[in-house]
Amino acid sequence: MNTTPTITNKDNTNSALISPPISSSKTAINPANNSLINPPIKLGIMASGSGSNFEVIAREIHQRKLNAQIQVLIYNKPQAKVKDRAKNWNIPAILLNHKEYQDREKFDAKIVEILKQNQVELVVMAGWMRIVTPVLINAFPNKIINIHPSLLPSFKGNKAVENALEAGVKITGCTVHLVVPEVDSGEILIQAAVPILPNDNLETLHARIQVQEHKILPEAIVLAAKLDRK
Ligand code: GRF
């Protein structure tokens, strides 16, 4: 097996080091009748904001690059742009406003209820800006992944991009990891490194990190599903 990280260098501004190497084929198609060989992974996506990662997953599924199906989107902010993206893709979107729940556990119990109702197999936290509790984590053991905009274990928390800039590191990136009760701490599935350029600010750096997020999150879904099916 080739374990050497791959340099993806399709364009100069977004070159990055991704490890483990990106697989060449995420979807196995039966050439005889053009059908998918394996059943699609049933995803539940949790998001709080713009949803560019949600968009990439939906698009890759549509393009048959990713053998999955989004059963449901759960979002927690009424104005989150991700809800409009779900509507455009005709994907059911459910608003669960955390402010309407007594505590994190009750909120997570409702999330579990909806995910189970929708037969979700793998949960993707794609910009979910809430701390989750064992109520959710134990309902989907090793089946929840999160994308984080730093090279974990550096810069945990919700100011990862800002903190990397402030620290003066020259390379940061993004990580997809399994979700465990400690925030941003579960087993790492895939990472991409992003250089910090001399004139970077929060927006420019985050934008370049997101380019890499959009590459590694679909890959991580495949990796997580394989873990799951062992
Ligand atoms: C991403 O940068 C992700 O790493 C972080 O939240 C952001 C979500 O972006 N957890 P989007 O809503 O998918 O565009």
Side-chain angles (χ1 to χ4, degrees), residues 63 78 87 116 130 133 170 207 216:
Q63 295 170 338
K87 200 172 171 201
K116 295 279 184 195
R130 303 286 307 163
T133 69
K170 302 300 177 200
I216 67 170

Side-chain angles (χ1 to χ4, degrees), residues 10 64 74 85 137 230:
K10 286 184 189 143
R64 299 183 114 201
I74 295 175
R85 298 185 190 266
I137 295 166
K230 258 182 198 164

Side-chain angles (χ1 to χ4, degrees), residues 47-61:
S48 302
S50 152
S52 67
N53 282 287
F54 170 90
E55 184 78 25
V56 166
I57 296 167
R59 192 186 315 135
E60 289 218 359
I61 292 171

